[in-house]
Amino acid sequence: MAVCLKTEAAVGERTRLPEPGPPVQDLTLKAAGTPSPHQIEAMRRVSMPLQDLPNLRVQGSVLRTNKRKLRGSVSEGLDSECTPRELIQPCSPTLKHQRPACKGKENDGEQFVLARRSRRKKESVSGVSLDHLPDELLLRILFCLPLRDLLRTSAVCRRWHRLAVDECLWRSVDLEGLIHVGPALQHVLKTGVRRLRCPRAFMEELHLSDMSSLQLVQMDMSNSTIPTPALESIIGGCRLLEYLSLEGLQLSDAIMTSLSENSRLLQLNLSGCSGFSAAALAHMLDSCSCIQQLNISWCSFNSQHVKSVVAHLSSSVTHLNLSGYRENLTLEDVKVLVTRCTNLQILDLSDSTLLMADCFQVLRQLGRLVHLSLSRCYQIHLAALTDVGQMFPLLGLLDMFGVVHTSHMAALKKDVPHISINSKPFSSIARPTPAGRPGDGTMWHQRCRLRFKL
């Protein structure tokens, strides 16, 4: 009886948390001998876990409330008593393992979590957004932008980039004044430009690719610094040229051969050029039979080059500048020229020192001549000019710089009152920019829409 009371007392003490239960050794029988069944049952209940005690029904909220106190009691029991470990294990929290967000082959190596961006609420905006405008209207807006703003617009988004490089916006471009024009020129050529103005530019070694289908119709590369291979690539991709100026450039036979592919060429300025043979020049003139204005003055020519010019010029030529050949141009060459080009209206034979007064009898066959230049042809005397008005009834301009002095100008004007003498010091034949106005910005009397400004 004493043993049962003591056991129930021990169970009662255990249920009153957070005080530690009685020592285990107090629950053992002090009497010697074999324990009874009641004693064994009491000892079994003492060693049971806390939640399995039959007389203990503790709610989850109470356990959660006294969790911290229970941990303190268990730890004190470990320090002071030989408390069974089964009473402590149910109270220890279980560790939670993170699970991957999704299972698949991509999660075999590493675990990652897929995050989803929160959706922003669309604000109601009054008016029309540019994103809702059709391409035709946006192209019309971009057409009004200058070159710099158009390049910046192309970096906004993919749609605007596609619209900003549309060929309808890049039909005429002026790159005059741009230093290291190579990258810009390569970009412009890919946009399908039709009119390109790039005079007095500096270009480094270029590696141009896919230049086989250029849409160039007018191009001015006068007095630029450009490697000959790069110029060969550009001219080699042109088949639609009508107006071309390569004044002062180093050319080659390959360039002349490529020029012969442009059968619609109307105006060609090769003033001051060099590096090509007489045979390549003759082949180009034979192929380009539609040329109306040709400036081929002051080139690095010999007598064979001059003969190739006069012998292969087309009858369609109306403006010709063949000045600067001193001893290489003879009267026989002039006769061949007049026979082939009967429609000449403007003719410049200045600095041909072998020509004399008898050349007027040959030139009078040009019944449509309105402008004649024989400046610095020193063997032509002043008396031969008095009959010029009768030889050339349509002649309105006569340039004789270096032949007619100022003191004789008044007397000569009385003899030929309808002719203006020495009024055009510069030739404008086949030149893209008007003579005397290099900064005009026009190219064959038209301005380029996109222009680079410093």
Side-chain angles (χ1 to χ4, degrees):
M1 185 69 180
V3 174
C4 293
L5 291 176
K6 192 172 184 178
T7 303
E8 293 177 357
V11 174
E13 290 293 331
R14 180 66 65 183
T15 56
R16 287 193 296 270
L17 297 177
E19 296 179 1
V24 177
Q25 58 269 22
D26 294 341
L27 298 176
T28 58
L29 293 174
K30 294 182 179 180
T34 303
S36 63
H38 296 282
Q39 294 175 350
I40 295 174
E41 179 66 19
M43 293 176 63
R44 187 182 65 80
R45 291 184 179 180
V46 171
S47 61
M48 289 175 60
L50 185 64
Q51 64 272 21
D52 294 340
L53 292 177
N55 297 330
L56 184 60
R57 295 292 183 267
V58 184
Q59 300 296 329
S61 60
V62 178
L63 289 177
R64 283 193 298 270
T65 305
N66 298 330
K67 186 176 182 180
R68 183 173 300 177
K69 295 181 181 181
L70 182 61
R71 289 181 181 177
S73 303
V74 173
S75 60
E76 291 177 2
L78 288 176
D79 294 337
S80 59
E81 306 174 6
C82 297
T83 307
R85 191 166 298 275
E86 290 80 2
L87 297 177
I88 303 174
Q89 289 179 353
C91 300
S92 61
T94 58
L95 295 178
K96 296 182 178 180
H97 299 281
Q98 294 183 352
R99 297 181 180 180
C102 60
K103 295 182 180 181
K105 295 182 179 179
E106 52 274 335
N107 288 332
D108 292 344
E110 298 180 356
Q111 295 183 359
F112 63 92
V113 178
L114 296 178
R116 187 173 182 178
R117 183 181 296 177
S118 59
R119 296 183 179 179
R120 298 179 180 179
K121 296 182 179 179
K122 295 184 179 179
E123 300 179 357
S124 59
V125 181
S126 60
V128 179
S129 174
L130 290 176
D131 296 335
H132 299 158
L133 297 180
D135 291 352
E136 293 78 8
L137 192 55
L138 284 176
L139 285 174
R140 186 60 184 173
I141 296 174
L142 296 178
F143 187 82
C144 302
L145 297 181
L147 179 59
R148 287 182 180 271
D149 294 340
L150 184 61
L151 294 175
R152 293 171 181 172
T153 303
S154 63
V156 173
C157 61
R158 292 183 179 180
R159 184 193 179 198
W160 284 34
H161 176 77
R162 175 177 56 82
L163 296 175
V165 298
D166 192 89
E167 61 179 10
C168 69
L169 303 177
W170 295 85
R171 290 183 176 178
S172 60
V173 182
D174 187 355
L175 298 179
E176 182 183 11
L178 182 61
I179 303 175
H180 301 293
V181 73
L185 179 61
Q186 188 170 1
H187 171 77
V188 169
L189 290 175
K190 293 180 179 179
T191 59
V193 60
R194 303 291 182 86
R195 303 177 66 247
L196 175 62
R197 185 173 184 267
C198 192
R200 295 174 294 278
F202 173 78
M203 303 174 208
E204 58 277 4
E205 198 70 33
L206 297 178
H207 301 284
L208 301 176
S209 58
D210 193 17
M211 295 289 125
S212 58
S213 58
L214 297 180
Q215 303 297 319
L216 283 170
V217 177
Q218 299 181 7
M219 183 170 64
D220 179 15
M221 304 285 290
S222 303
N223 301 307
S224 297
T225 303
I226 179 173
T228 303
L231 187 60
E232 290 177 355
S233 300
I234 297 174
I235 301 298
C238 297
R239 297 293 184 271
L240 305 175
L241 284 173
E242 296 180 4
Y243 298 82
L244 177 64
S245 178
L246 301 176
E247 183 173 347
L249 300 185
Q250 179 75 22
L251 306 182
S252 63
D253 287 351
I255 294 177
M256 302 303 292
T257 303
S258 299
L259 286 178
S260 63
E261 301 292 334
N262 297 268
S263 58
R264 293 188 288 182
L265 198 60
L266 300 177
Q267 295 190 22
L268 178 61
N269 180 19
L270 298 180
S271 177
C273 293
S274 59
F276 51 93
S277 62
L281 176 61
H283 175 65
M284 186 272 295
L285 293 175
D286 288 336
S287 301
C288 301
S289 58
C290 296
I291 293 180
Q292 299 176 358
Q293 296 189 24
L294 176 63
N295 189 339
I296 200 164
S297 61
W298 295 99
C299 295
S300 299
F301 281 180
N302 52 30
S303 60
Q304 191 63 34
H305 285 83
V306 175
K307 294 184 183 300
S308 297
V309 173
V310 299
H312 295 86
L313 274 177
S314 173
S315 59
S316 61
V317 177
T318 59
H319 298 60
L320 176 63
N321 188 346
L322 197 61
S323 61
Y325 294 113
R326 302 183 183 275
E327 294 85 7
N328 293 322
L329 182 65
T330 63
L331 184 60
E332 295 298 325
D333 298 329
V334 176
K335 292 179 180 180
V336 175
L337 174 64
V338 171
T339 303
R340 291 186 60 87
C341 304
T342 58
N343 297 318
L344 281 173
Q345 300 176 11
I346 300 177
L347 177 61
D348 190 350
L349 300 177
S350 301
D351 297 280
S352 299
T353 57
L354 296 181
L355 296 182
M356 295 184 294
D358 55 353
C359 69
F360 287 108
Q361 298 297 328
V362 177
L363 294 175
R364 69 184 302 176
Q365 302 178 29
L366 302 174
R368 301 180 181 181
L369 198 62
V370 295
H371 186 184
L372 177 62
S373 297
L374 294 172
S375 300
R376 293 169 295 279
C377 296
Y378 299 111
Q379 297 193 36
I380 299 176
H381 51 81
L382 184 61
L385 300 178
T386 58
D387 298 332
V388 171
Q390 298 177 1
M391 295 180 182
F392 306 96
L394 299 180
L395 191 65
L397 298 173
L398 178 62
D399 296 329
M400 300 294 295
F401 291 98
V403 177
V404 178
H405 298 282
T406 307
S407 58
H408 303 108
M409 188 70 67
L412 184 59
K413 286 184 177 181
K414 290 181 180 181
D415 296 334
V416 286
H418 63 283
I419 298 177
S420 177
I421 301 174
N422 293 347
S423 60
K424 297 288 185 178
F426 303 104
S427 175
S428 60
I429 297 176
R431 283 205 165 102
T433 304
R437 292 184 293 173
D440 182 76
T442 60
M443 182 174 64
W444 286 287
H445 309 291
Q446 293 181 0
R447 288 184 178 273
C448 295
R449 193 188 71 83
L450 294 178
R451 185 177 182 183
F452 176 79
K453 296 181 181 180
L454 295 175

